[in-house]
Amino acid sequence: LYATSARPMKSEHFEIQYDQLRGMIKLDQGDYLEARRYFHLNLDRLLLCLPENHHNIAVSHNSIACVYHNMGDYKTALSHYN
């Protein structure tokens, strides 16, 4: 019961996906601050329900790193790539 209760409900799952998609759209539009906000929101939600080594968390960190890379903050980008 405990293992299943930590999993997101269907509507929460869609919200998590939407955060990632919104971030990608904002990144493509060059709105890096909004993209970063959505990607961090996505990461925070994922960390609530998935183990830290889950591939979706890696994708989220990669997205955040892309934002920082595009902003020229290579040190912060590298920390998310690691």
Side-chain angles (χ1 to χ4, degrees):
L1 178 66
Y2 179 75
T4 58
S5 66
R7 300 174 110 187
M9 303 289 277
K10 194 169 194 166
S11 62
E12 292 170 333
H13 178 74
F14 288 126
E15 282 299 314
I16 291 170
Q17 287 181 326
Y18 289 146
D19 291 335
Q20 181 70 17
L21 292 173
R22 288 179 191 124
M24 291 170 59
I25 291 167
K26 292 299 181 181
L27 181 62
D28 285 343
Q29 293 174 342
D31 190 350
Y32 302 130
L33 296 178
E34 278 297 298
R36 183 180 63 182
R37 186 176 75 82
Y38 282 120
F39 289 141
H40 274 288
L41 183 59
N42 175 258
L43 178 61
D44 292 342
R45 288 182 179 182
L46 288 173
L47 287 171
L48 290 174
C49 58
L50 296 174
E52 228 175 279
N53 63 346
H54 194 276
H55 68 276
N56 285 347
I57 292 179
V59 169
S60 188
H61 275 293
N62 185 67
S63 298
I64 293 168
C66 287
V67 171
Y68 283 111
H69 180 86
N70 287 336
M71 293 171 67
D73 187 350
Y74 304 115
K75 184 177 179 181
T76 306
L78 185 59
S79 72
H80 283 280
Y81 283 131
N82 291 331

